[in-house]
Amino acid sequence: MAEEIAQIASSSSAVLRPVSNASRVTALQNIHEYLRAGKGKILEANKADMEAAEKANVAAPLIKRLDLSKGDKFDTMLQGVLDVASLPDPLGNVTFANRLDDGLDLYRVTCPIGVLLVIFESRPEVIANITALAIKSGNAVILKGGKESFHSFAAISGLVREALEGTEIPPGAVQLIESRQEVSELLKQDKYIDLVVPRGSNELVRSIKSNTKIPVLGHADGLCSVYVHCDADVDMAARIVVDSKTNYVAACNAAESLLLQRSALQSHLPTLAKALIDAGVSLKVTPEISESLKQADVEGTASATIGSAEDKDFETEFLSLTIAVAAVEGVEEAIKHINSHSSKHTDSIVTASKEIADKFLNGVDSSGVFWNASTRFSDGFRYGFGTEVGISTSKIHARGPVGLEGLTCYQYQLRGTGQVVADYVGAGGKKEFKHENIDI
Protein backbone atom coordinates (compact mmCIF):
# COMPACT_ATOMS: atom_id res chain seq x y z
CA MET A 1 0.00 0.00 0.00
CA ALA A 2 2.75 2.46 0.98
CA GLU A 3 4.71 1.71 -2.17
CA GLU A 4 1.59 2.32 -4.26
CA ILE A 5 1.04 5.70 -2.53
CA ALA A 6 4.65 6.67 -3.22
CA GLN A 7 4.43 5.55 -6.85
CA ILE A 8 1.25 7.57 -7.40
CA ALA A 9 2.93 10.62 -5.87
CA SER A 10 5.98 10.15 -8.08
CA SER A 11 3.99 9.82 -11.29
CA SER A 12 1.81 12.78 -10.26
CA SER A 13 4.97 14.80 -9.65
CA ALA A 14 6.02 14.22 -13.25
CA VAL A 15 2.63 15.45 -14.47
CA LEU A 16 2.65 18.45 -12.12
CA ARG A 17 6.17 19.57 -13.01
CA PRO A 18 5.27 21.35 -16.30
CA VAL A 19 1.92 22.78 -15.10
CA SER A 20 1.90 26.55 -15.55
CA ASN A 21 2.03 29.00 -12.67
CA ALA A 22 -1.39 30.33 -13.68
CA SER A 23 -2.92 26.86 -13.31
CA ARG A 24 -1.21 26.33 -9.96
CA VAL A 25 -2.57 29.69 -8.76
CA THR A 26 -6.08 28.75 -9.88
CA ALA A 27 -5.88 25.55 -7.86
CA LEU A 28 -4.82 27.48 -4.75
CA GLN A 29 -7.63 29.98 -5.19
CA ASN A 30 -10.05 27.05 -5.38
CA ILE A 31 -8.64 25.63 -2.15
CA HIS A 32 -9.05 28.98 -0.43
CA GLU A 33 -12.70 29.26 -1.47
CA TYR A 34 -13.57 25.69 -0.48
CA LEU A 35 -11.95 26.09 2.94
CA ARG A 36 -13.66 29.46 3.48
CA ALA A 37 -17.04 28.03 2.57
CA GLY A 38 -16.42 24.98 4.75
CA LYS A 39 -15.38 26.91 7.86
CA GLY A 40 -18.34 25.67 9.91
CA LYS A 41 -17.64 22.04 9.00
CA ILE A 42 -13.94 22.40 9.82
CA LEU A 43 -14.50 24.10 13.18
CA GLU A 44 -17.09 21.49 14.15
CA ALA A 45 -14.56 18.77 13.41
CA ASN A 46 -11.90 20.73 15.29
CA LYS A 47 -14.22 20.96 18.31
CA ALA A 48 -14.48 17.18 18.32
CA ASP A 49 -10.68 16.93 18.32
CA MET A 50 -10.44 19.42 21.20
CA GLU A 51 -12.96 17.51 23.30
CA ALA A 52 -11.18 14.22 22.65
CA ALA A 53 -7.81 15.76 23.55
CA GLU A 54 -9.15 17.16 26.82
CA LYS A 55 -10.65 13.78 27.74
CA ALA A 56 -7.31 12.13 26.99
CA ASN A 57 -5.51 14.67 29.21
CA VAL A 58 -3.35 15.90 26.34
CA ALA A 59 -0.84 18.54 27.49
CA ALA A 60 -2.20 22.11 27.45
CA PRO A 61 0.41 23.43 24.95
CA LEU A 62 -0.58 20.72 22.45
CA ILE A 63 -4.27 21.50 22.90
CA LYS A 64 -3.51 25.16 22.23
CA ARG A 65 -1.74 24.21 19.00
CA LEU A 66 -4.73 22.10 18.03
CA ASP A 67 -7.38 24.82 18.46
CA LEU A 68 -8.42 26.49 15.17
CA SER A 69 -11.15 28.63 16.70
CA LYS A 70 -8.99 31.00 18.75
CA GLY A 71 -8.39 34.54 17.52
CA ASP A 72 -7.60 34.87 13.83
CA LYS A 73 -6.00 31.45 13.46
CA PHE A 74 -8.50 30.18 10.87
CA ASP A 75 -8.46 33.40 8.85
CA THR A 76 -4.65 33.43 8.96
CA MET A 77 -4.64 29.90 7.56
CA LEU A 78 -6.87 31.01 4.66
CA GLN A 79 -4.83 34.15 4.02
CA GLY A 80 -1.68 32.05 3.92
CA VAL A 81 -3.06 30.12 0.93
CA LEU A 82 -3.71 33.36 -0.97
CA ASP A 83 -0.35 34.81 0.05
CA VAL A 84 1.44 31.78 -1.38
CA ALA A 85 -0.63 31.97 -4.56
CA SER A 86 0.38 35.61 -5.08
CA LEU A 87 4.10 35.02 -4.67
CA PRO A 88 6.34 35.03 -7.76
CA ASP A 89 6.68 31.69 -9.55
CA PRO A 90 9.63 29.89 -7.94
CA LEU A 91 10.11 27.61 -10.95
CA GLY A 92 11.98 28.21 -14.20
CA ASN A 93 14.14 31.00 -12.79
CA VAL A 94 17.65 31.22 -14.23
CA THR A 95 20.17 31.68 -11.42
CA PHE A 96 23.36 31.21 -13.48
CA ALA A 97 24.11 31.53 -17.19
CA ASN A 98 27.41 30.94 -19.00
CA ARG A 99 28.35 30.82 -22.68
CA LEU A 100 30.70 27.87 -23.02
CA ASP A 101 31.19 28.63 -26.72
CA ASP A 102 29.26 30.19 -29.57
CA GLY A 103 25.95 28.35 -29.75
CA LEU A 104 26.63 26.43 -26.53
CA ASP A 105 24.96 28.05 -23.51
CA LEU A 106 24.62 26.68 -19.98
CA TYR A 107 21.79 27.70 -17.64
CA ARG A 108 21.03 26.81 -14.03
CA VAL A 109 17.24 26.75 -13.67
CA THR A 110 15.07 26.29 -10.57
CA CYS A 111 12.79 23.23 -10.53
CA PRO A 112 10.66 21.22 -8.05
CA ILE A 113 12.26 18.77 -5.64
CA GLY A 114 9.70 16.11 -6.60
CA VAL A 115 7.81 14.24 -3.88
CA LEU A 116 7.56 15.47 -0.29
CA LEU A 117 6.50 13.40 2.72
CA VAL A 118 5.38 15.78 5.46
CA ILE A 119 4.67 14.40 8.93
CA PHE A 120 3.27 16.67 11.62
CA GLU A 121 1.53 16.45 14.96
CA SER A 122 -1.35 18.46 16.36
CA ARG A 123 -1.59 21.62 14.22
CA PRO A 124 -4.39 21.06 11.65
CA GLU A 125 -3.73 24.30 9.73
CA VAL A 126 -0.47 22.77 8.56
CA ILE A 127 -2.46 20.79 5.96
CA ALA A 128 -3.51 23.96 4.15
CA ASN A 129 -0.12 25.64 4.57
CA ILE A 130 1.90 22.79 3.15
CA THR A 131 -0.57 21.92 0.41
CA ALA A 132 -0.31 25.52 -0.80
CA LEU A 133 3.48 25.52 -0.74
CA ALA A 134 3.71 22.13 -2.44
CA ILE A 135 1.36 23.03 -5.30
CA LYS A 136 2.92 26.45 -5.88
CA SER A 137 6.41 24.93 -5.97
CA GLY A 138 5.33 22.12 -8.30
CA ASN A 139 5.85 19.30 -5.80
CA ALA A 140 3.64 16.33 -5.02
CA VAL A 141 3.06 15.87 -1.30
CA ILE A 142 2.03 13.06 1.04
CA LEU A 143 0.65 14.38 4.33
CA LYS A 144 0.38 12.60 7.69
CA GLY A 145 -1.27 14.43 10.58
CA GLY A 146 -1.30 13.58 14.26
CA LYS A 147 -4.04 11.49 15.82
CA GLU A 148 -5.02 14.50 17.95
CA SER A 149 -6.16 16.36 14.83
CA PHE A 150 -7.85 13.41 13.10
CA HIS A 151 -11.28 15.01 12.60
CA SER A 152 -9.88 18.41 11.59
CA PHE A 153 -7.46 16.66 9.26
CA ALA A 154 -10.26 14.70 7.59
CA ALA A 155 -12.46 17.77 7.13
CA ILE A 156 -9.72 19.96 5.63
CA SER A 157 -8.30 17.21 3.44
CA GLY A 158 -11.74 16.37 2.06
CA LEU A 159 -12.30 20.00 1.05
CA VAL A 160 -8.83 20.18 -0.52
CA ARG A 161 -9.59 17.12 -2.63
CA GLU A 162 -12.89 18.64 -3.78
CA ALA A 163 -11.18 21.93 -4.60
CA LEU A 164 -8.61 20.24 -6.85
CA GLU A 165 -11.20 18.40 -8.91
CA GLY A 166 -11.34 19.86 -12.42
CA THR A 167 -7.99 21.67 -12.09
CA GLU A 168 -4.75 20.74 -13.85
CA ILE A 169 -3.31 19.44 -10.60
CA PRO A 170 -3.29 15.61 -10.80
CA PRO A 171 -5.31 13.93 -8.01
CA GLY A 172 -2.26 12.06 -6.71
CA ALA A 173 -0.31 15.28 -6.19
CA VAL A 174 -1.83 15.70 -2.72
CA GLN A 175 -2.35 12.49 -0.74
CA LEU A 176 -3.32 12.10 2.88
CA ILE A 177 -2.53 9.11 5.06
CA GLU A 178 -3.71 8.23 8.55
CA SER A 179 -1.77 5.35 10.10
CA ARG A 180 1.70 5.21 11.64
CA GLN A 181 2.29 1.93 9.83
CA GLU A 182 1.95 3.72 6.51
CA VAL A 183 4.55 6.25 7.64
CA SER A 184 7.00 3.49 8.57
CA GLU A 185 6.59 1.91 5.15
CA LEU A 186 6.77 5.24 3.29
CA LEU A 187 10.10 6.01 4.98
CA LYS A 188 11.50 3.05 3.02
CA GLN A 189 10.37 4.45 -0.34
CA ASP A 190 13.55 6.37 -1.17
CA LYS A 191 13.08 5.40 -4.83
CA TYR A 192 9.98 7.60 -5.07
CA ILE A 193 10.10 10.11 -2.20
CA ASP A 194 12.69 12.90 -2.38
CA LEU A 195 12.38 14.74 0.94
CA VAL A 196 10.85 14.09 4.37
CA VAL A 197 9.73 17.06 6.47
CA PRO A 198 8.81 16.17 10.08
CA ARG A 199 7.11 18.89 12.13
CA GLY A 200 6.69 18.16 15.79
CA SER A 201 8.49 17.02 18.90
CA ASN A 202 12.16 16.26 19.27
CA GLU A 203 11.27 12.57 19.57
CA LEU A 204 9.35 12.63 16.27
CA VAL A 205 12.17 14.28 14.33
CA ARG A 206 14.87 12.02 15.71
CA SER A 207 12.77 8.93 15.09
CA ILE A 208 12.25 9.93 11.45
CA LYS A 209 15.94 10.66 10.91
CA SER A 210 16.98 7.29 12.32
CA ASN A 211 14.50 5.29 10.23
CA THR A 212 14.94 6.50 6.66
CA LYS A 213 17.50 6.90 3.89
CA ILE A 214 15.50 9.79 2.44
CA PRO A 215 16.91 13.28 3.17
CA VAL A 216 15.16 14.87 6.17
CA LEU A 217 14.53 18.60 6.57
CA GLY A 218 13.27 19.72 9.94
CA HIS A 219 14.01 20.92 13.42
CA ALA A 220 13.75 19.32 16.81
CA ASP A 221 13.27 21.43 19.94
CA GLY A 222 12.84 25.20 19.70
CA LEU A 223 15.32 26.25 22.39
CA CYS A 224 15.41 30.02 21.84
CA SER A 225 17.22 32.53 24.05
CA VAL A 226 17.31 36.29 24.61
CA TYR A 227 20.55 37.89 25.82
CA VAL A 228 20.37 41.35 27.42
CA HIS A 229 23.61 43.36 27.35
CA CYS A 230 24.37 45.97 30.01
CA ASP A 231 23.80 48.92 27.66
CA ALA A 232 20.33 47.81 26.55
CA ASP A 233 17.37 50.12 27.02
CA VAL A 234 15.65 48.40 29.93
CA ASP A 235 12.09 49.13 28.76
CA MET A 236 12.88 47.86 25.26
CA ALA A 237 14.48 44.76 26.73
CA ALA A 238 11.41 44.09 28.90
CA ARG A 239 9.03 44.34 25.92
CA ILE A 240 11.20 42.04 23.80
CA VAL A 241 11.69 39.44 26.54
CA VAL A 242 7.99 39.35 27.49
CA ASP A 243 6.86 39.13 23.86
CA SER A 244 9.42 36.44 23.07
CA LYS A 245 8.16 34.37 26.00
CA THR A 246 4.43 35.05 26.15
CA ASN A 247 3.16 35.98 22.68
CA TYR A 248 2.49 32.30 21.97
CA VAL A 249 4.15 29.99 24.47
CA ALA A 250 3.44 26.81 22.49
CA ALA A 251 5.39 28.02 19.44
CA CYS A 252 8.84 26.73 18.60
CA ASN A 253 10.13 30.32 18.36
CA ALA A 254 9.12 31.27 21.91
CA ALA A 255 12.04 32.12 24.22
CA GLU A 256 12.89 29.47 26.80
CA SER A 257 16.01 31.11 28.31
CA LEU A 258 16.95 34.63 29.39
CA LEU A 259 20.61 35.58 29.77
CA LEU A 260 21.74 38.85 31.34
CA GLN A 261 25.17 40.39 31.44
CA ARG A 262 26.42 40.17 35.01
CA SER A 263 27.03 43.92 35.22
CA ALA A 264 23.34 44.49 34.33
CA LEU A 265 21.87 42.51 37.22
CA GLN A 266 21.30 45.51 39.44
CA SER A 267 20.11 47.86 36.69
CA HIS A 268 18.08 45.50 34.49
CA LEU A 269 17.13 42.30 36.32
CA PRO A 270 14.42 43.74 38.63
CA THR A 271 12.53 45.35 35.75
CA LEU A 272 12.80 42.28 33.53
CA ALA A 273 11.81 39.88 36.30
CA LYS A 274 8.81 41.99 37.35
CA ALA A 275 7.66 42.30 33.74
CA LEU A 276 7.79 38.53 33.30
CA ILE A 277 6.07 37.84 36.63
CA ASP A 278 3.36 40.39 35.84
CA ALA A 279 2.81 38.50 32.58
CA GLY A 280 2.31 35.28 34.54
CA VAL A 281 5.73 33.77 33.79
CA SER A 282 7.46 31.54 36.34
CA LEU A 283 11.22 31.92 36.61
CA LYS A 284 13.74 29.12 37.03
CA VAL A 285 16.86 30.94 38.22
CA THR A 286 20.47 30.21 39.08
CA PRO A 287 21.69 30.93 42.64
CA GLU A 288 23.31 34.15 41.42
CA ILE A 289 20.04 35.39 39.91
CA SER A 290 18.12 34.30 43.00
CA GLU A 291 20.38 36.35 45.27
CA SER A 292 20.05 39.42 43.03
CA LEU A 293 16.26 39.14 43.08
CA LYS A 294 16.24 38.90 46.87
CA GLN A 295 18.39 42.03 47.12
CA ALA A 296 15.96 43.85 44.84
CA ASP A 297 12.93 42.57 46.82
CA VAL A 298 11.47 40.89 43.77
CA GLU A 299 9.14 38.04 44.68
CA GLY A 300 7.06 35.60 42.72
CA THR A 301 3.32 35.05 42.98
CA ALA A 302 1.07 32.06 43.37
CA SER A 303 0.84 31.69 39.58
CA ALA A 304 4.25 33.08 38.59
CA THR A 305 6.77 31.49 40.92
CA ILE A 306 10.52 31.86 41.31
CA GLY A 307 12.30 28.53 41.62
CA SER A 308 15.76 27.06 41.32
CA ALA A 309 17.12 26.23 37.87
CA GLU A 310 18.89 23.00 37.07
CA ASP A 311 21.33 22.56 34.20
CA LYS A 312 18.70 20.68 32.20
CA ASP A 313 16.37 23.70 32.33
CA PHE A 314 18.62 25.50 29.86
CA GLU A 315 18.04 22.67 27.40
CA THR A 316 14.30 22.34 27.98
CA GLU A 317 11.54 23.47 25.64
CA PHE A 318 8.97 24.41 28.29
CA LEU A 319 6.18 25.40 25.86
CA SER A 320 4.54 27.09 28.83
CA LEU A 321 4.79 30.26 30.93
CA THR A 322 8.19 29.27 32.31
CA ILE A 323 11.65 30.63 31.49
CA ALA A 324 15.17 29.77 32.71
CA VAL A 325 17.31 32.75 33.76
CA ALA A 326 21.09 33.00 34.16
CA ALA A 327 23.87 35.59 34.23
CA VAL A 328 26.88 35.62 31.91
CA GLU A 329 30.00 37.74 31.98
CA GLY A 330 29.43 39.29 28.56
CA VAL A 331 28.58 38.69 24.93
CA GLU A 332 31.35 36.10 24.43
CA GLU A 333 30.01 33.93 27.25
CA ALA A 334 26.46 34.44 25.99
CA ILE A 335 27.50 33.16 22.55
CA LYS A 336 29.25 30.17 24.11
CA HIS A 337 26.25 29.37 26.32
CA ILE A 338 23.77 29.59 23.44
CA ASN A 339 25.89 27.53 21.05
CA SER A 340 26.26 24.86 23.76
CA HIS A 341 22.63 24.70 24.90
CA SER A 342 20.40 25.89 22.05
CA SER A 343 18.77 23.90 19.26
CA LYS A 344 20.13 26.38 16.68
CA HIS A 345 16.65 27.77 16.06
CA THR A 346 16.43 31.51 16.92
CA ASP A 347 18.25 33.70 19.43
CA SER A 348 18.16 37.44 20.09
CA ILE A 349 20.38 40.11 21.65
CA VAL A 350 19.21 43.41 23.15
CA THR A 351 21.95 46.04 23.06
CA ALA A 352 22.60 49.64 22.01
CA SER A 353 25.98 48.72 20.51
CA LYS A 354 26.30 47.74 16.86
CA GLU A 355 29.74 46.30 17.59
CA ILE A 356 28.38 44.02 20.32
CA ALA A 357 25.36 43.11 18.19
CA ASP A 358 27.54 42.20 15.20
CA LYS A 359 29.70 40.00 17.42
CA PHE A 360 26.56 38.19 18.59
CA LEU A 361 24.99 37.94 15.12
CA ASN A 362 28.17 36.52 13.62
CA GLY A 363 29.01 34.27 16.58
CA VAL A 364 25.72 32.52 17.35
CA ASP A 365 25.29 29.42 15.19
CA SER A 366 21.50 29.49 14.79
CA SER A 367 19.20 29.68 11.79
CA GLY A 368 17.82 33.00 13.06
CA VAL A 369 19.88 35.59 14.96
CA PHE A 370 18.16 38.87 15.88
CA TRP A 371 19.18 42.28 17.24
CA ASN A 372 16.67 44.25 19.32
CA ALA A 373 13.72 42.13 18.15
CA SER A 374 11.54 39.36 19.53
CA THR A 375 12.36 35.75 18.69
CA ARG A 376 8.71 35.41 17.64
CA PHE A 377 9.54 37.09 14.32
CA SER A 378 11.11 33.81 13.18
CA ASP A 379 8.24 32.72 10.98
CA GLY A 380 7.69 32.22 7.26
CA PHE A 381 4.61 34.45 7.16
CA ARG A 382 6.40 37.30 8.98
CA TYR A 383 9.41 36.91 6.70
CA GLY A 384 7.14 37.42 3.69
CA PHE A 385 7.24 33.80 2.51
CA GLY A 386 3.43 33.50 2.57
CA THR A 387 3.66 30.56 4.95
CA GLU A 388 6.21 27.87 5.73
CA VAL A 389 6.59 24.13 5.52
CA GLY A 390 8.61 24.26 8.75
CA ILE A 391 11.73 25.78 10.25
CA SER A 392 14.95 24.02 9.41
CA THR A 393 17.94 24.01 11.74
CA SER A 394 19.95 22.06 9.19
CA LYS A 395 22.88 23.72 7.42
CA ILE A 396 22.40 22.36 3.92
CA HIS A 397 19.78 23.07 1.27
CA ALA A 398 17.49 25.26 3.40
CA ARG A 399 17.77 26.93 6.81
CA GLY A 400 15.31 28.87 8.93
CA PRO A 401 11.66 29.21 7.86
CA VAL A 402 11.32 27.11 4.72
CA GLY A 403 9.04 28.66 2.11
CA LEU A 404 8.84 28.21 -1.64
CA GLU A 405 12.55 28.63 -2.27
CA GLY A 406 13.35 25.84 0.17
CA LEU A 407 11.06 23.48 -1.74
CA THR A 408 12.90 23.93 -5.02
CA CYS A 409 16.26 22.79 -6.28
CA TYR A 410 17.82 23.34 -9.70
CA GLN A 411 18.95 21.60 -12.83
CA TYR A 412 21.54 22.57 -15.42
CA GLN A 413 20.20 23.04 -18.93
CA LEU A 414 22.75 23.04 -21.75
CA ARG A 415 21.53 24.42 -25.07
CA GLY A 416 23.81 23.58 -27.97
CA THR A 417 23.97 23.42 -31.75
CA GLY A 418 25.59 20.02 -32.29
CA GLN A 419 28.79 20.35 -30.23
CA VAL A 420 30.68 17.29 -28.96
CA VAL A 421 33.29 17.12 -26.20
CA ALA A 422 35.91 15.64 -28.57
CA ASP A 423 36.12 19.05 -30.27
CA TYR A 424 37.42 20.55 -27.01
CA VAL A 425 39.44 17.90 -25.17
CA GLY A 426 41.71 14.98 -26.03
CA ALA A 427 44.08 14.51 -28.93
CA GLY A 428 41.68 15.92 -31.51
CA GLY A 429 40.43 18.83 -29.43
CA LYS A 430 41.08 22.12 -31.24
CA LYS A 431 38.46 24.41 -29.74
CA GLU A 432 38.69 26.38 -26.50
CA PHE A 433 35.90 27.17 -24.09
CA LYS A 434 34.91 30.84 -23.89
CA HIS A 435 33.16 30.71 -20.48
CA GLU A 436 31.53 34.11 -20.85
CA ASN A 437 28.84 35.24 -18.46
CA ILE A 438 25.40 35.74 -19.97
CA ASP A 439 23.32 38.57 -18.56
CA ILE A 440 20.19 37.24 -16.82
Side-chain angles (χ1 to χ4, degrees), residues 191-212:
K191 180 179 178 180
Y192 303 108
I193 297 173
D194 300 290
L195 184 68
V196 180
V197 184
R199 290 184 55 157
S201 67
N202 185 45
E203 291 75 18
L204 171 68
V205 177
R206 288 184 177 174
S207 174
I208 297 299
K209 287 183 175 180
S210 62
N211 285 284
T212 187

Side-chain angles (χ1 to χ4, degrees), residues 330-372:
V331 67
E332 291 86 359
E333 189 178 347
I335 292 169
K336 183 177 179 181
H337 182 281
I338 290 170
N339 286 342
S340 298
H341 295 85
S342 82
S343 60
K344 305 187 186 303
H345 192 297
T346 302
D347 302 284
S348 182
I349 182 174
V350 187
T351 178
S353 169
K354 182 179 183 301
E355 180 182 356
I356 294 296
D358 285 341
K359 185 175 291 187
F360 184 89
L361 297 177
N362 294 322
V364 171
D365 184 20
S366 294
S367 65
V369 195
F370 299 169
W371 175 20
N372 290 346

